[in-house]
C-alpha cells in the first residue's frame, strides 16, 4: 500500500478508534474506585456531604474500605467522591447494608477519626433545617468549627470535681418567687423550664452560675448563651467564682480558630461539662446535657446573619425538647416570644416581688409632665430638662452617672436652621453630618466637604442638628459639669467597666459599661428617637434597651427618661413592668396575625425569581401572600408569607420543598427567611 493510501485508511479508521477509546475510558475503573476489601462490620457509611444544594440535602451511602473501618466512626470527617469531585462530609452512621442496588463508591479518606458531630447535634441540625427551610449543610457550618490539627493532637485533662455550695445558690435566688424550687428541680435531676425576669441591679451572671452549679450537682452538663463577648466574660468570671477553676470553656470567635477548636474538643470529649458563649455555643457538644440557658434573648445579636438564619433562642428551645433538658430564659426585659411560652404553659415564670423592685429603683419621666412645664416652660423641647440636670448633679456626689444616647458620632444628621429641611450634599444628595466642632459638614456617602452650603428650599446658610450623637452629648455635658470627667462608650471604643469614682459615662444602647458598685443614676436621652423607627419590634426593642441600661443602677438609685409620658413603652419602664408590656404586644400581634401568634417568611430576590418561587410554592390552606413589592435599592422584590402558628411547620416544609425543586432546575436564587427579626 502506498504511503498516500495508507494515510487515507488511517484517517478513515480514526473515528472508530476514537469511539472505542472513549468507550473504554468510560467503562474503565477510575482511580480510587477500584474494588477494595470493605470493612467486615458495618461496611456502609451514611455520609452527609457538604454541598449547599437543597435537592442534594440528604445522606448518601458509601462503602467503608477495610483500612478505614476503625476510623470512619459516626461523627467523623471524611472526604468522598461526589459529582466528579472530592468533597467534605460527616459520617452520620454505619450500617450493615444499603438500599442502593448498585456498587457503592468507597470513601476517599478519613480526614480525622475524631467524632466531632454528636448524634444529638446531627439530629438538631435536621430539625433546624426543616424549621428554617434551609439545608443541613448550612446548619452544620454553624454547628461544627473548622478542624485545627494541632488542637486535635493536644489532649486536655478532665476537669476536677466542681465546688458546689447549693445553699449559697438558694440565698442568691431568695428574692425571686419559685427561684428555690427551680434550683431544687435542677439539683435533683429534673428538667424545669422557666422564663426569668431579673430585678433591677441584679447580679445576673452569679445567679446563672448558681443555676449551672445546681445542674452539675445532678451530674449533668450546661450550655449558656449570652449576646456578646462582654456578657460572656462576666458569666465566665461568675462560673469560676461559684464552681471553681477549669470547670467551663468559652466558645467565642474572638479567641481564634485553634483555641476555639480546642475548647470545642474539650466538650465533645467530655473533659469539660459547661459551655458559655455567643450564638455558636447553642450547638456546644456537651455530654449529658441538663440545662440550656440564654440571657437577654431579645438582643438582635442572637439572630444568625448566615443562611438559614436560625435564632439562638429557637435553637435552644428545639434542643431542650429533643434532649429533655431544662431551659432558663432570663433578662431584665421580656420578649414576646418568651411571654408566649408562658401563655402556652411551656415554661413557668420566675419574678421578683413588687416590693423588691420598688426598693431597688425609682424611674421618672422628664420633659412633658404638667408640674415640670409649670416650673420650666421649655422642658418639653429641652434635650436635658432641669429634672434630668438636677438628678445628674445630685448623683455625682455619690458616684458615676450613666447617660444613654441613641446615636453615635457628633451630629449624625443636619437640617436647615430656618425651614428644618434636611441638609444634603450637592454632588450626590447624601446626608450631611458634622464630625467635630471645628470641622465643616461632610457628606456621609461621598465624603465631600460642604464649606459653603445653602438650603435649596429657602436659601438660608445656617445648620442645626435635630439629633445629637454621643460625641456632641459628651461635649455639652463636659461644659455643664466642667470639674467632672466625661467618658464615651460606643462604636469601636466600648468600655467594659468603670470604677466607683464620680464621672459621667455617655454610651449608646448596648455599649453601656458596668459600674463596679452600680451607677448612682441613669439618664435616658432622646427616647423619641428610638421610638421613631419603622419596625414591628420598635417599642419592644426600645423598652429592652432602656431596661438594660436602667438595671445598671445601684440599689436605691434613680433613673430619668427624657420623653413623652404618654408612650406605652415609657409607662412600662416607669412601672418596671416588662411582663405586662409583653402581654400587650402579644394581644396586638394576635389581632394583626403577626409573630409569635403566626409564622412569617420573607422571599427576597429578583422580581422574576420571586414570582417563579410563588408559582411553584404549595402553601398550607390558611396561609396568605402579602406582595410582592419593591424592596431596597438594589432592584429586589420581597413577598411576605403568613400562616397560623399551627401551620408553621407546614409552611417551612413547603418552602423547603420549593427550594429543592428550584435547586434541581438551577433557577435564580431567592433569599428565604423564616420569622425574621426585622420586618
Amino acid at each position: 500500500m502506498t504511503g498516500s493510501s495508507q494515510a487515507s485508511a488511517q484517517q478513515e479508521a480514526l473515528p472508530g478508534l476514537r469511539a472505542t477509546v472513549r468507550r473504554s475510558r468510560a467503562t474503565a475503573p477510575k482511580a480510587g474506585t477500584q474494588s477494595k476489601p470493605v470493612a467486615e462490620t458495618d461496611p456502609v457509611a451514611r455520609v452527609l456531604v457538604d454541598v449547599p444544594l437543597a435537592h442534594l440535602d440528604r445522606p448518601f451511602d458509601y462503602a467503608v474500605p477495610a483500612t478505614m473501618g476503625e476510623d470512619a466512626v459516626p461523627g467523623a470527617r471524611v472526604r468522598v467522591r461526589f459529582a466528579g469531585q472530592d468533597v467534605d462530609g460527616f459520617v452520620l452512621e454505619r450500617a450493615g447494608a444499603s438500599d442502593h442496588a448498585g456498587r457503592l463508591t468507597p470513601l476517599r479518606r478519613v480526614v480525622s477519626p475524631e467524632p466531632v458531630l454528636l448524634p444529638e447535634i446531627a439530629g438538631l441540625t435536621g430539625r433546624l433545617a426543616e424549621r428554617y427551610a434551609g439545608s443541613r449543610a448550612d446548619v452544620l457550618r454553624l454547628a461544627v468549627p473548622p478542624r485545627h490539627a494541632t488542637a486535635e493532637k493536644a489532649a486536655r485533662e478532665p476537669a476536677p470535681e466542681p465546688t458546689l455550695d447549693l445553699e449559697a445558690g438558694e440565698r442568691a435566688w431568695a428574692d425571686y418567687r419559685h427561684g428555690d424550687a427551680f434550683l431544687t428541680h435542677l439539683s435533683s435531676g429534673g428538667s424545669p423550664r422557666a422564663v426569668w425576669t431579673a430585678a433591677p441591679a441584679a447580679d445576673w451572671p452569679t445567679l446563672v452560675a448558681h443555676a449551672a452549679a445546681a445542674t452539675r450537682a445532678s451530674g449533668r452538663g450546661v450550655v449558656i448563651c449570652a449576646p456578646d463577648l462582654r456578657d460572656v466574660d462576666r458569666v465566665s468570671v461568675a462560673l469560676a467564682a461559684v464552681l471553681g477553676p477549669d470547670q467551663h470553656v468559652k466558645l467565642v470567635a474572638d479567641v481564634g480558630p485553634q483555641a476555639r477548636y480546642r475548647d470545642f474538643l474539650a466538650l465533645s470529649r467530655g473533659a469539660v461539662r459547661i459551655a458559655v458563649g455567643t450564638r455558636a455555643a447553642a450547638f456546644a457538644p456537651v455530654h449529658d446535657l441538663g440545662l440550656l440557658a440564654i440571657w437577654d434573648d431579645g438582643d438582635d445579636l442572637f439572630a444568625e446573619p448566615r443562611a438559614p438564619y436560625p435564632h439562638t433562642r429557637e435553637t435552644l428551645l428545639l434542643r431542650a425538647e429533643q434532649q429533655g433538658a431544662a431551659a432558663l430564659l432570663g433578662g431584665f426585659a421580656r420578649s414576646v416570644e418568651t411571654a408566649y411560652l408562658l401563655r402556652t404553659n411551656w415554661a413557668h415564670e420566675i419574678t421578683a416581688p413588687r416590693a423588691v423592685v420598688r426598693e431597688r429603683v425609682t424611674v421618672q419621666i422628664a420633659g412633658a409632665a404638667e408640674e415640670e412645664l409649670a416650673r420650666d416652660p421649655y422642658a418639653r423641647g429641652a434635650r436635658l430638662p432641669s429634672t434630668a440636670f438636677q438628678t445628674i448633679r445630685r448623683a455625682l456626689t455619690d458616684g458615676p452617672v450613666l447617660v444613654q444616647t441613641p446615636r453615635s458620632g457628633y451630629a449624625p444628621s443636619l437640617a436647615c436652621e430656618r425651614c428644618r429641611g434636611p441638609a444634603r450634599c450637592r454632588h450626590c444628595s447624601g446626608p450631611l453630618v458634622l464630625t467635630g466642632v471645628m470641622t465643616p459638614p461632610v457628606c456621609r456617602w461621598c465624603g465631600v466637604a460642604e464649606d459653603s452650603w445653602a438650603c435649596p428650599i429657602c436659601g438660608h446658610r445656617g445648620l442645626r442638628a435635630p439629633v445629637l450623637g454621643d460625641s456632641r452629648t459628651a461635649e455639652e455635658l463636659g461644659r455643664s459639669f466642667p470639674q467632672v470627667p466625661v467618658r464615651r462608650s460606643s462604636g469601636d471604643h466600648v468600655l467594659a467597666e468603670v470604677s466607683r469614682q464620680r464621672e459621667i459615662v455617655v454610651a449608646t444602647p448596648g455599649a453601656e459599661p458596668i459600674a463596679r458598685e452600680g451607677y448612682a443614676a441613669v439618664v435616658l436621652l432622646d427616647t423619641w428617637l428610638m421610638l421613631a423607627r419603622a419596625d414591628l419590634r420598635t417599642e419592644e426593642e426600645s423598652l429592652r434597651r432602656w431596661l438594660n441600661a436602667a438595671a445598671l443602677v445601684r440599689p436605691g438609685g434613680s433613673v430619668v427618661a427624657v420623653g413623652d409620658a404618654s408612650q406605652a413603652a415609657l409607662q412600662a419602664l416607669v412601672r418596671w413592668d416588662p411582663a405586662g408590656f409583653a402581654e400587650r404586644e402579644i394581644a396586638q400581634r394576635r389581632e394583626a396575625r403577626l409573630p409569635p401568634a403566626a409564622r412569617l417568611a420573607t422571599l427576597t430576590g429578583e422580581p422574576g425569581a420571586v414570582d417563579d418561587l410563588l408559582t411553584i410554592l404549595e402553601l398550607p390552606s390558611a396561609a396568605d401572600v402579602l406582595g410582592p413589592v419593591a424592596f431596597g435599592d438594589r432592584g429586589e422584590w420581597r413577598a411576605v408569607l403568613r400562616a397560623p402558628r399551627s401551620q408553621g411547620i407546614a409552611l417551612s416544609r413547603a418552602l423547603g420543598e420549593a427550594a429543592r425543586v428550584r435547586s434541581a432546575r438551577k433557577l435564580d436564587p431567592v433569599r428565604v427567611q423564616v420569622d425574621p427579626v426585622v420586618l
Side-chain angles (χ1 to χ4, degrees):
M1 183 181 294
T2 64
S4 59
S5 61
Q6 183 178 4
S8 176
Q10 289 177 351
Q11 290 292 334
E12 292 176 0
L14 275 177
L17 290 172
R18 287 169 179 165
T20 303
V21 170
R22 282 197 297 268
R23 287 194 298 270
S24 64
R25 286 177 177 175
T27 56
K30 295 179 173 57
T33 62
Q34 293 94 337
S35 182
K36 295 181 179 179
V38 297
E40 295 182 359
T41 304
D42 293 333
V44 177
R46 295 200 166 94
V47 178
L48 187 63
V49 295
D50 186 9
V51 178
L53 298 175
H55 67 290
L56 299 176
D57 187 30
R58 59 184 177 85
F60 292 88
D61 289 354
Y62 286 85
V64 181
T67 56
M68 305 179 192
E70 295 184 0
D71 291 341
V73 297
R77 303 176 196 261
V78 293
R79 293 279 287 180
V80 297
R81 194 71 177 173
F82 190 86
Q85 58 183 348
D86 288 351
V87 298
D88 294 320
F90 291 95
V91 177
L92 295 182
E93 61 177 334
R94 294 276 295 272
S98 172
D99 296 334
H100 181 64
R103 187 180 66 180
L104 294 180
T105 302
L107 300 174
R108 298 287 274 182
R109 68 184 179 94
V110 177
V111 177
S112 169
E114 186 77 37
V116 292
L117 182 61
L118 300 186
E120 55 268 27
I121 302 300
L124 177 65
T125 60
R127 295 190 64 183
L128 277 174
E130 181 182 56
R131 164 73 170 80
Y132 286 96
S135 69
R136 295 183 68 177
D138 286 337
V139 181
L140 279 173
R141 293 193 192 98
L142 305 176
V144 183
R147 178 175 179 258
H148 198 285
T150 303
E152 202 169 83
K153 294 176 183 177
R156 175 165 177 164
E157 294 294 327
E161 287 299 315
T163 302
L164 300 175
D165 186 354
L166 299 185
E167 293 183 358
E170 293 178 359
R171 291 192 298 270
W173 282 84
D175 287 338
Y176 295 91
R177 297 191 189 98
H178 312 305
D180 55 346
F182 183 76
L183 295 185
T184 301
H185 276 84
L186 289 176
S187 61
S188 62
S191 299
R193 301 164 180 169
V195 173
W196 163 43
T197 304
D203 183 11
W204 65 267
T206 299
L207 296 173
V208 172
H210 281 297
T215 308
R216 288 294 294 121
S218 65
R220 297 177 296 168
V222 180
V223 171
I224 304 170
C225 292
D228 55 32
L229 182 59
R230 291 191 307 155
D231 289 331
V232 170
D233 288 339
R234 293 185 65 193
V235 176
S236 179
V237 171
L239 287 171
V242 172
L243 289 159
D246 302 324
Q247 293 296 319
H248 71 281
V249 295
K250 294 193 298 182
L251 295 181
V252 292
D254 301 63
V255 297
Q258 180 176 349
R260 182 185 176 191
Y261 191 59
R262 179 197 62 210
D263 293 337
F264 177 88
L265 291 178
L267 295 168
S268 68
R269 293 170 177 174
V272 181
R273 305 287 292 282
I274 300 177
V276 56
T278 49
R279 287 190 305 265
F283 299 96
V286 174
H287 290 210
D288 301 320
L289 186 62
L291 174 64
L292 293 152
I294 182 172
W295 175 257
D296 197 15
D297 68 288
D299 197 309
D300 57 7
L301 291 175
F302 283 126
E304 176 60 53
R306 294 169 292 180
Y309 317 105
H311 195 284
T312 303
R313 176 188 56 247
E314 302 304 315
T315 301
L316 295 180
L317 295 181
L318 283 175
R319 194 171 179 186
E321 287 275 9
Q322 173 190 343
Q323 298 185 239
L328 179 63
L329 300 96
F332 293 116
R334 180 176 294 180
S335 67
V336 292
E337 285 78 12
T338 54
Y340 197 85
L341 296 177
L342 295 174
R343 174 172 286 206
T344 57
N345 294 321
W346 190 91
H348 297 283
E349 185 179 37
I350 298 178
T351 58
R354 294 301 304 174
V356 173
V357 175
R358 283 195 295 266
E359 71 181 15
R360 289 197 182 186
V361 67
T362 301
V363 184
Q364 60 179 322
I365 299 177
E370 292 184 2
E371 57 272 16
E372 187 169 5
L373 291 173
R375 294 193 306 268
D376 182 6
Y378 300 100
R380 188 187 302 274
R383 188 162 184 260
L384 190 66
S386 60
T387 300
F389 184 87
Q390 296 299 332
T391 299
I392 294 175
R393 187 170 65 178
R394 287 193 302 268
L396 283 173
T397 62
D398 195 31
V401 174
L402 173 65
V403 177
Q404 184 197 72
T405 180
R407 290 286 184 89
S408 61
Y410 188 81
S413 65
L414 296 173
C416 175
E417 188 178 38
R418 177 183 295 169
C419 70
R420 303 298 192 262
R424 295 196 171 274
C425 175
R426 291 177 297 175
H427 302 277
C428 69
S429 298
L432 298 183
V433 299
L434 277 179
T435 59
V437 65
M438 301 299 294
T439 58
V442 298
C443 177
R444 189 187 301 168
W445 293 355
C446 67
V448 173
E450 288 283 3
D451 296 313
S452 56
W453 178 87
C455 178
I457 300 174
C458 66
H460 189 67
R461 293 186 177 275
L463 290 167
R464 68 185 299 269
V467 178
L468 300 180
D470 64 324
S471 299
R472 179 66 178 271
T473 303
E475 180 184 296
E476 292 183 348
L477 290 172
R479 289 198 297 262
S480 300
F481 301 94
Q483 304 301 321
V484 180
V486 179
R487 306 176 67 185
R488 291 172 41 236
S489 179
S490 65
D492 295 333
H493 180 67
V494 177
L495 303 176
E497 187 180 72
V498 296
S499 66
R500 56 170 298 177
Q501 69 180 12
R502 58 191 301 262
E503 61 182 352
I504 298 175
V505 180
V506 180
T508 52
E512 303 92 347
I514 306 302
R516 292 176 187 172
E517 297 182 10
Y519 289 99
V522 174
V523 176
L524 309 173
L525 295 180
D526 300 331
T527 57
W528 64 270
L529 185 60
M530 296 185 66
L531 293 170
R533 296 186 305 119
D535 185 69
L536 174 65
R537 298 178 182 269
T538 294
E539 289 189 286
E540 177 190 356
E541 176 66 7
S542 299
L543 179 61
R544 185 188 71 82
R545 291 177 180 270
W546 295 335
L547 288 171
N548 284 347
L552 299 177
V553 74
R554 67 183 56 165
S558 299
V559 177
V560 177
V562 180
D564 185 356
S566 65
Q567 293 287 346
L570 282 175
Q571 292 175 4
L573 173 65
V574 172
R575 299 191 308 269
W576 203 274
D577 185 24
F581 184 82
E583 285 297 321
R584 169 185 173 272
E585 285 286 301
I586 287 180
Q588 292 179 349
R589 296 189 190 184
R590 288 186 66 182
E591 293 179 2
R593 297 177 59 199
L594 294 172
R599 182 67 53 81
L600 287 186
T602 60
L603 315 178
T604 309
E606 296 294 327
V610 173
D611 187 63
D612 289 343
L613 178 54
L614 290 174
T615 301
I616 65 175
L617 191 60
E618 297 183 4
L619 291 173
S621 57
D624 56 356
V625 180
L626 308 178
V629 296
F631 177 74
D633 55 1
R634 296 187 296 179
E636 292 183 325
W637 283 62
R638 185 178 73 174
V640 178
L641 310 180
R642 182 173 58 184
R645 192 175 179 88
S646 59
Q647 294 187 353
I649 193 64
L651 175 63
S652 295
R653 287 172 178 167
L655 288 168
E657 181 60 32
R660 284 185 282 274
V661 172
R662 289 178 54 79
S663 174
R665 297 178 182 176
K666 299 181 180 180
L667 300 178
D668 293 336
V670 174
R671 185 168 65 255
V672 178
Q673 288 185 266
V674 177
D675 287 345
V677 173
V678 178
L679 184 63

